[in-house]
Amino acid sequence: MPTLKTTVQDESGGVTVYGLVNKAVEDLAHTVGGPQMWAAIRAQAQVDAPTFIGMDQYPDEVTYRLVAAASEVLQMPAEQVLETFGEHWVLYTAQEGYGPLLDLAGSTLPGFLMHLDAMHARVALTLPELTPPSFECTDVTEHGLRLHYRSARQGLEPMVVGLLRGLGRRFGVEIAVAHVERRADGAAHDVFSVTYG
Ligand code: 1MF
C-alpha cells in the first residue's frame, strides 16, 4: 500500500540527506528575512516540523521542496536559490563546528577542491549514509582548473557554482566559473571551468 513516505521516497529516487542541509536552508531563510521568511517558506513547502535534526536523515524530496518554496516566496529562479544556498553552505558549516574539517581539506582553492573527495570519504567513515558527490580536478594550472562534478542527485549544478563562490570568499580569491559541459544536455557529467587569482 503506497504510504506518503514511499511516495516521497520514490520521487526522490530513494536518496536521503542529513538534516544539516535542511538546517542550512533554514539558517539562510533567517539570514535573508528573519523568522517570518522561514515560516513562509516552510508553509509553502508544506513542511510541518518547525526545524530539522542535523544528524537525522530526510528524503531529498523535502530539500527540493524547500528550494522550490524559497523560489516562490522570494520570487527568484530556483537556480539562483541553489547558487545562493551553495555559497551559504560554506559559511554555515564553518560556523557550525565543521571549520576544522574544512581546514583539513586545504588552505588554497585548488588544494581544497583536489581534497574534496577525501574529505567526503572522511565524513562518510562516521556517517555511512552520506551520499557525497564527487569532484575531480583536471587541467590544473596556477590560474585555473576543470572541475568534474558527478552526483547521484540531479539539478544541483547551480549549487556547485555557489559552493565555488563560497570557497572563493573563504580563501580570498577572485573566481570566475563557466559551466562548460552539462549532463542535462547529454554529457557524461557536468564540467566547470574555474579560474582564480
Ligand atoms: O548525503 C548527504 O547527506 C550529504 C550532505 C552534505 C552529501 C553531501 C553534502 C555536502 N555537499 C552538499 C552538496 C551536495 C550536492 C550533491 O549531492 O550533488 C557540499 C560539499 C562541499 C563542496 C564544497 C565545499 C564544501 C562542501 O561541503 C563541506 C561539508 C560536507 C559535509 C558536511 C559538512 C561540510 C557534513 C557534516 C555532518 C553531516 C553531514 C554533512 O551530518 C551530521 C550533522 C550533524 C551531526 C552529525 C552528523
Side-chain angles (χ1 to χ4, degrees), residues 111-163:
F112 188 98
L113 293 174
M114 287 186 272
H115 283 104
L116 255 176
D117 284 3
M119 187 215 67
H120 280 123
R122 181 182 293 271
V123 174
L125 284 177
T126 42
L127 306 174
E129 305 298 336
L130 197 78
T131 308
S134 165
F135 295 93
E136 185 195 349
C137 301
T138 64
D139 308 86
V140 183
T141 73
E142 220 182 308
H143 306 290
L145 51 76
R146 279 166 70 88
L147 185 68
H148 301 252
Y149 164 66
R150 297 175 176 88
S151 178
R153 303 183 168 103
Q154 288 184 30
L156 302 184
E157 305 84 54
M159 184 181 173
V160 174
V161 176
L163 288 164

Side-chain angles (χ1 to χ4, degrees), residues 17 20 31 37 51-52 61 71 74 78 80 82 86 90-92 102-103 114 120 128 135 142 145 150-151 171 182:
V17 64
L20 186 68
T31 304
M37 178 62 71
T51 187
F52 299 90
E61 207 260 342
S71 167
L74 294 164
Q80 202 178 324
L82 283 167
V90 175
L91 199 85
Y92 176 78
L102 299 180
D103 288 343
M114 287 186 272
H120 280 123
F135 295 93
E142 220 182 308
L145 51 76
R150 297 175 176 88
S151 178
F171 297 118
R182 295 169 188 268

Side-chain angles (χ1 to χ4, degrees), residues 20-33 80-96 98 102 158-170:
L20 186 68
V21 170
N22 295 336
K23 282 176 75 74
V25 176
E26 177 182 347
D27 187 73
L28 176 59
H30 275 92
T31 304
V32 170
Q80 202 178 324
V81 172
L82 283 167
E83 187 174 326
T84 305
F85 176 65
E87 191 164 350
H88 189 68
W89 174 256
V90 175
L91 199 85
Y92 176 78
T93 50
Q95 281 169 1
E96 290 301 304
Y98 298 96
L102 299 180
M159 184 181 173
V160 174
V161 176
L163 288 164
L164 288 165
R165 296 205 187 292
L167 290 172
R169 270 168 61 185
R170 177 175 173 83

